[in-house]
Amino acid sequence: MKMSQLFTKTKKSAPADAETANAKFLQQAGFVYQEMAGVYSWLPLGLRVLRKVETIIRQEMNAIGGQELFLTALQSKENWLTTQRWDDVDVLFKLQSQTGKEYALGPTAEEVITPLVQSFTHSYKDLPLAVYQIQTKFRDELRAKSGVLRGREFLMKDMYSFHTDRQNFLEFYEKAKEAYLRIYERCGVSAKVTESSGGSFSKNPSHEFQIETAAGEDDLILCRNCTFAQNTEIATKQSGEPCPDCGKELAASKGIEVGNIFDLSSRFTDAFGFTVTGEEGEKKTIYMGCYGIGVSRLVGSIVEASHDERGMIWPKSIAPAHVHITTLNAKDKESQDRIMQASEEVQEKLISNGIEVLWDERSNSIGEKLADADLIGIPLRIIVSEKTLKEGSVEWKARTETESHLVKFEDVLEQVQSFVAE
Ligand code: ATP
Ligand code: MG
């Protein structure tokens, strides 16, 4: 990917109304474009991050047996009346067709998935089942703010599981919880788990996954050593007390909810009259679980958790590219040709070995190019200049480090490979 060909450009400064790091940097670096309040388009660099996060989520959902599908975002009013939520969900976007018929724009998908699964599922032998999708959701949020953290249109992964047996549901729920923690870890962030609704596990389990950040909306008591956290709305612990899980001191902080899993029991299956035939021909109640991840919010939360005053610092697993090559301008045409050629060779070698490269070969000033590299936040920056060429080397600097050092041309590939694999 050549920077000169990227249609998006970085901006000198962030939009004046951007208060949070994600709103600032994602827009300034051209990762997202604000269409209106709480509504963002994802641009090439941002989309690469979003897609990588999706891939991680997909792998972990498939690993616990989730089957992917893609539901309609346009939902029938009748189904929302059936579950008695048409008038109860204040964030529900309602629209009217020219025929006068009304629809909902999906804020979640129980009203679609429950009757859909019902149409295929008749016997206890058809269950358990877990299905999921990664799809745009719509919510008429009164305060759409904090960049992509709270949108009116946003990307969510939502999984729904169906069971005839409560114990089987609880076991799957535990598996989903573990999968969630793996997802966040693989995305390079540490998520805390809060137990919602004061929940005694066996009754009505419900957990939220929180990333600690000053931009978060939730007040938490959390442990920085393990995943323990409590929402202060329900907290039984106080800051300064020892963590019940690991014994380290608890702290008060703020978090943003990046995932939520909960027990729907038979709330929706009862509403649609969805039962199956049991072993003896009897009707069996179906229990449902619901498992959400705010995919676009997660990307924003990662920026909140990982940035400095100059820009974003992407974890390697989800960065828009592995390496940012910056070719500096030379004094004369001949040297310029030589460093361009050397850069091209480095790039070719990396790309042909599966390394993703963003190559800044523009004629902009050094200052601009270095500022852009920091803003965009690719984990590794490699500079090729007249000076490094004289040494037969490139200048190597990780985004997280302040010091750079030289690496010989012939060693670049191997070192990048081990950097990426670390
Ligand atoms: P919140 O409490 O933040 O309003 P919620 O509890 O209503 O969220 P869920 O219905 O559990 O959210 O949705 C699943 C996930 O989708 C949430 O954990 C969150 O990460 C994400 N999410 C919810 N609302 C939004 C939004 N308006 N913008 C972006 N992501 C959202
Ligand atoms: Mg929630």
Side-chain angles (χ1 to χ4, degrees):
M1 216 178 353
K2 285 183 184 165
M3 203 111 152
S4 66
Q5 288 171 1
L6 204 59
F7 91 90
T8 58
K9 309 275 181 282
T10 59
K11 297 206 167 75
K12 286 241 151 40
S13 57
D17 60 351
E19 282 167 12
T20 47
N22 86 88
K24 242 166 97 173
F25 294 136
L26 287 174
Q27 291 185 79
Q28 194 184 341
F31 280 49
V32 301
Y33 177 84
Q34 189 182 40
E35 191 57 38
M36 41 192 157
V39 180
Y40 290 86
S41 291
W42 288 78
L43 307 178
L45 292 176
L47 189 62
R48 290 177 72 89
V49 176
L50 197 69
R51 291 282 185 252
K52 287 189 180 183
V53 171
E54 283 180 29
T55 299
I56 291 173
I57 293 175
R58 226 173 235 122
Q59 287 169 349
E60 295 295 341
M61 291 299 98
N62 292 346
I64 58 169
Q67 298 182 37
E68 187 172 5
L69 40 64
F70 191 76
L71 301 172
T72 66
L74 206 55
Q75 304 185 353
S76 95
K77 176 181 179 180
E78 288 70 37
N79 288 2
W80 281 82
L81 289 173
T82 301
T83 59
Q84 294 178 345
R85 295 210 291 181
W86 179 258
D87 294 311
D88 285 6
V89 174
D90 52 359
V91 295
L92 187 64
F93 268 114
K94 298 170 181 174
L95 26 116
Q96 196 173 36
S97 155
Q98 54 181 333
T99 64
K101 207 171 149 69
E102 286 182 292
Y103 299 89
L105 271 183
T108 179
E110 285 85 357
E111 277 75 4
V112 176
I113 197 63
T114 314
L116 188 157
V117 169
Q118 180 177 20
S119 77
F120 289 97
T121 310
H122 309 292
S123 154
Y124 71 97
K125 290 184 192 151
D126 297 329
L127 300 179
L129 171 69
V131 289
Y132 75 96
Q133 63 169 345
I134 297 176
Q135 190 219 30
T136 300
K137 298 291 185 300
F138 301 88
R139 292 188 185 183
D140 194 2
E141 303 273 2
L142 273 186
R143 292 170 310 126
K145 55 175 193 131
S146 311
V148 299
L149 297 187
R150 183 171 295 286
R152 296 201 164 90
E153 173 175 335
F154 59 96
L155 194 62
M156 191 204 287
K157 185 281 301 180
D158 43 329
M159 178 165 73
Y160 307 88
S161 71
F162 299 82
H163 314 257
T164 48
D165 170 0
R166 216 42 213 155
Q167 190 53 37
N168 179 265
F169 159 69
L170 292 172
E171 283 164 20
F172 184 78
Y173 183 92
E174 258 321 287
K175 269 204 221 168
K177 191 161 136 220
E178 297 304 316
Y180 268 47
L181 289 173
R182 279 196 299 276
I183 288 167
Y184 301 119
E185 196 189 324
R186 288 182 61 190
C187 288
V189 280
S190 129
K192 309 290 173 193
V193 186
T194 63
E195 215 171 279
S196 335
S197 54
S200 134
F201 180 72
S202 58
K203 279 197 191 127
N204 246 218
S206 170
H207 291 86
E208 289 176 356
F209 298 80
Q210 297 269 355
I211 290 181
E212 184 183 7
T213 158
E217 295 176 10
D218 297 339
D219 289 305
L220 306 175
I221 300 293
L222 57 79
C223 176
R224 296 211 171 94
N225 187 52
C226 71
T227 61
F228 178 85
Q230 286 187 326
N231 207 308
T232 49
E233 280 172 19
I234 53 148
T236 55
K237 299 282 170 197
Q238 287 188 346
S239 75
E241 283 181 28
C243 170
D245 290 350
C246 75
K248 286 270 158 56
E249 195 175 299
L250 294 174
S253 190
K254 289 207 168 270
I256 179 89
E257 180 197 311
V258 288
N260 194 349
I261 60 177
F262 46 94
D263 179 7
L264 296 174
S265 192
S266 58
R267 155 99 175 75
F268 292 93
T269 48
D270 284 350
F272 286 101
F274 177 15
T275 55
V276 288
T277 316
E279 245 164 301
E280 319 272 292
E282 79 283 16
K283 269 190 185 169
K284 283 189 95 79
T285 299
I286 295 169
Y287 303 100
M288 269 175 84
C290 168
Y291 316 81
I293 291 184
V295 185
S296 43
R297 177 183 286 186
L298 177 55
V299 172
S301 308
I302 293 168
V303 176
E304 295 299 331
S306 183
H307 68 271
D308 60 17
E309 68 290 349
R310 298 191 305 279
M312 303 178 279
I313 305 175
W314 292 106
K316 290 172 196 169
S317 58
I318 58 157
H322 302 118
V323 186
H324 190 126
I325 299 179
T326 303
T327 304
L328 299 187
N329 302 320
K331 284 193 286 300
D332 56 81
K333 166 96 172 56
E334 197 192 317
S335 328
Q336 186 64 23
D337 287 348
R338 277 194 295 126
I339 61 172
M340 282 302 251
Q341 198 195 329
S343 308
E344 177 119 41
E345 278 168 21
V346 174
Q347 189 202 222
E348 293 283 299
K349 204 170 181 180
L350 293 176
I351 291 175
S352 60
N353 282 279
I355 306 288
E356 298 164 6
V357 180
L358 179 64
W359 179 21
D360 189 353
E361 25 64 279
R362 300 170 304 168
S363 56
N364 299 37
S365 73
I366 300 185
E368 280 171 347
K369 292 169 96 162
L370 299 187
D372 277 352
D374 280 344
L375 173 65
I376 292 170
I378 288 170
L380 177 63
R381 187 190 75 195
I382 283 178
I383 293 182
V384 184
S385 67
E386 270 182 293
K387 214 172 87 191
T388 70
L389 205 58
K390 264 193 210 120
E391 308 280 338
S393 302
V394 300
E395 186 192 296
W396 170 295
K397 190 178 92 62
R399 179 64 179 83
T400 50
E401 284 163 11
T402 46
E403 298 297 316
S404 62
H405 63 272
L406 294 180
V407 171
K408 291 276 177 216
F409 276 114
E410 58 269 30
D411 298 333
V412 169
L413 174 61
E414 200 182 318
Q415 293 209 19
V416 168
Q417 280 171 328
S418 55
F419 177 84
V420 170
E422 250 168 35

